[in-house]
Amino acid sequence: MDKDEKKTPQGIYKYYENNPDSADEKIFGRVTYPDRRGFLKGAGLATMAAVLGGAIPFHRNMPAGIIPAAFAEGLDDVMIEGKDGLTVLNDRPMNAETPPHLLNDDITPTRHHFIRNNGIPPTEVDAEAWTLTIDGLVDKPMTLSIADLRKNFEVVEQQLVVECGGNGRAFFDPKAKGNQWTYGAVACSKWTGVRLADVLKAAGVKEGAVYTAHYGADKHLSGQEGKLAISRGLPMAKAMSGENLIAFEQNGEPLHPMNGAPLRLVVPGWPGSCSQKWLTRIQVRDQVHDGPKMTGTAYRVPNRPVAPGEKVATEDFDIIERMPVKSLITSPQTNSEVSGSEVMVRGHAWSGDRKVDKVQLSIDFGATWMDAELADPANVAAWQTFSAKVMFPQAGYYEVWAKATDDAGVSQPFAIAWNPKGYLNNTFHRIALVVKG
Ligand SMILES: Nc1nc2c(c(=O)[nH]1)N[C@H]1C(S)=C(S)[C@@H](COP(=O)(O)O)O[C@H]1N2
Ligand SMILES: [Mo]
């Protein structure tokens, strides 16, 4: 297990007390927004106003370095430039998830796309000078700029689900160590790029190729030169399938700095960790890749049933491949009040490389289920939107449960077997509603 994964978020006061500059850096990303640096010293008044929800008439009186009282709640409300409403789970590295009601759009806006960093994002990002090298077991190793990618390959636009393998970890008992993701380490943005398969074909994958190995420009948390934060890969069959993109645009704009600007992989339907951010190199290997977070227990689950809390030997783990069938209720927001006796329930469903066939809702703790309307995906590997009008027989507290079933007939379970690292939790999404009648 990583040392960093044990860290819990600290209050913003403590955080600024210890090191105001690095606090600014962590929250606003010194890296990508050099002009914002020292924002709390008065450098970024507009940013501050945006965070606080209004201009500051007495800003001239505001002591340098003062922490606005509006931030007293902790990190949750702190703005990450270009992000909105995310819940920060860890600040070093930055990890933030999206509350379900902010995932209601069919296409997740960039400001609501979660952030999962294993290391320190690159400091100098120059999209013009950026290059991607394809090497290893290929006929023609090549180094391409983003302009080269655009010029030499078909540029495609796809809505693609990225979900962290640890999404839902917070609900395992006994607790699994790592970021305590609840529901929101998932998103479906519109990505523009070229197909990974097209680029690999152009490089000419040689016989004996087994796995890709992905490299990015972020640094290991230790800051140690040459030490990688994460380097994962794909079996060749998945790498060569058409849905994976080497992406340079997110929702029609350059990628967000925390989502991998200026270039990343998007490998929908498989653990988010396959989607290398700040992508610099793809190597084709004659063996299963063994980079950081490929081995041991990282992004792996036991290959046999284990008892909750059981110690499992490393050799009894398998690499996670496709993500399981899942659904998320995005409207109404949990804990809202309903006036009247009915409400429109809406959300999304997805299932690794498969299509979702059915989404059902229950308001009686799973005793009976009604079918929701389910739309087709916008394209392969996009999530599907469901909706249903739900009627409540009388006033009171209800839970709405959602259950998706995919085209292989596999449904979300009520409960899931425990695993040591808390991966692949695809149990029903449940929201609470108080019906006022
Ligand atoms: N270079 C690099 N790529 C990375 C990571 C990282 O830490 N460094 N995190 C991975 C993990 S674990 C996930 S779930 C996704 C999350 O993508 P996002 O931060 O854009 O939401 O990025 C993946 N790609
Ligand atoms: Mo992840």
Side-chain angles (χ1 to χ4, degrees):
M1 180 215 347
D2 305 330
K3 256 208 338 272
D4 55 287
E5 291 192 334
K6 280 188 237 159
K7 281 191 127 186
T8 49
Q10 41 179 323
I12 190 164
Y13 278 90
K14 189 143 192 295
Y15 195 43
Y16 269 92
E17 188 183 289
N18 294 344
N19 189 343
D21 272 346
S22 90
D24 269 7
E25 175 188 329
K26 282 170 206 157
I27 292 170
F28 294 96
R30 164 186 68 173
V31 184
T32 41
Y33 296 96
D35 55 317
R36 299 289 188 235
R37 196 170 182 201
F39 129 98
L40 287 177
K41 289 185 226 149
L45 211 52
T47 306
M48 173 121 64
V51 174
L52 297 178
I56 309 158
F58 291 117
H59 66 87
R60 280 177 220 290
N61 301 343
M62 210 168 175
I66 195 177
I67 296 162
F71 287 175
E73 290 306 306
L75 285 173
D76 288 19
D77 297 330
V78 170
M79 187 165 102
I80 302 158
E81 181 73 28
K83 294 287 178 185
D84 183 21
L86 302 196
T87 305
V88 176
L89 303 180
N90 193 350
D91 49 65
R92 189 172 190 279
M94 178 57 77
N95 283 283
E97 71 171 325
T98 314
H101 70 282
L102 296 183
L103 290 170
N104 194 42
D105 303 272
D106 291 353
I107 299 174
T108 308
T110 302
R111 66 182 188 283
H112 292 156
H113 198 290
F114 74 103
I115 301 169
R116 199 292 184 240
N117 290 345
N118 288 268
I120 308 165
T123 43
E124 306 293 334
V125 171
D126 180 353
E128 309 261 294
W130 198 268
T131 58
L132 169 64
T133 296
I134 314 290
D135 62 1
L137 223 57
V138 292
D139 297 324
K140 283 178 289 174
M142 41 195 203
T143 294
L144 303 157
S145 67
I146 295 175
D148 293 335
L149 289 170
R150 283 186 185 272
K151 199 170 63 201
N152 300 338
F153 300 95
E154 186 188 348
V155 173
V156 291
E157 202 175 74
Q158 300 279 293
Q159 298 168 33
L160 301 171
V161 176
V162 177
E163 182 180 20
C164 184
N167 197 22
R169 176 179 292 136
F171 307 113
F172 280 100
D173 183 22
K175 280 265 164 275
K177 297 213 171 71
N179 286 302
Q180 295 299 301
W181 306 110
T182 62
Y183 298 109
V186 64
C188 184
S189 284
K190 191 173 70 187
W191 300 93
T192 308
V194 300
R195 291 186 195 92
L196 170 63
D198 290 349
V199 175
L200 290 174
K201 272 180 218 151
V205 175
K206 284 189 173 158
E207 198 151 324
V210 171
Y211 229 83
T212 58
H214 313 150
Y215 297 89
D218 47 339
K219 285 209 194 94
H220 189 265
L221 278 182
S222 64
Q224 217 173 302
E225 226 30 74
K227 199 168 172 193
L228 304 173
I230 183 169
S231 171
R232 294 182 38 85
L234 298 169
M236 281 328 289
K238 171 65 179 173
M240 296 307 282
S241 73
E243 68 276 13
N244 313 311
L245 296 187
I246 300 173
F248 33 72
E249 280 180 24
Q250 179 178 14
N251 298 319
E253 288 179 353
L255 308 191
H256 186 280
M258 291 294 132
N259 299 126
L263 194 68
R264 77 173 299 171
L265 276 172
V266 182
V267 177
W270 282 39
S273 52
C274 299
S275 297
Q276 195 84 25
K277 302 192 281 186
W278 309 290
L279 182 70
T280 55
R281 178 183 177 208
I282 300 169
Q283 182 194 19
V284 177
R285 301 195 60 178
D286 63 358
Q287 61 175 85
V288 175
H289 185 42
D290 53 1
K293 312 261 166 151
M294 276 302 307
T295 57
T297 61
Y299 302 106
R300 288 176 181 236
V301 285
N303 55 19
R304 59 176 174 82
V306 302
E310 184 183 330
K311 285 246 176 301
V312 184
T314 313
E315 55 279 13
D316 291 348
F317 283 81
D318 282 345
I319 298 172
I320 298 169
E321 299 201 327
R322 62 182 301 284
M323 294 290 288
V325 61
K326 204 159 169 180
S327 60
L328 189 69
I329 299 168
T330 55
S331 179
Q333 180 174 3
T334 190
N335 285 320
S336 22
E337 282 184 2
V338 175
S339 51
S341 60
E342 61 180 55
V343 72
M344 278 303 291
V345 173
R346 211 186 106 91
H348 312 291
W350 62 97
S351 178
D353 302 326
R354 296 178 190 154
K355 212 179 138 187
V356 175
D357 256 3
K358 187 163 66 176
V359 173
Q360 295 166 290
L361 301 175
S362 176
I363 58 165
D364 55 10
F365 301 96
T368 61
W369 295 87
M370 64 175 285
D371 285 350
E373 260 180 60
L374 180 65
D376 278 336
N379 49 254
V380 170
W383 63 21
Q384 294 165 247
T385 296
F386 67 84
S387 60
K389 194 201 297 178
V390 173
M391 317 277 283
F392 301 97
Q394 62 185 83
Y397 173 87
Y398 291 87
E399 291 190 6
V400 182
W401 293 6
K403 172 169 73 167
T405 304
D406 68 24
D407 63 6
V410 180
S411 300
Q412 291 179 257
F414 171 75
I416 190 182
W418 180 89
N419 68 83
K421 298 279 289 213
Y423 292 125
L424 303 182
N425 186 347
N426 70 329
T427 51
F428 306 155
H429 184 207
R430 301 161 48 202
I431 64 160
L433 293 178
V434 174
V435 175
K436 290 296 186 187

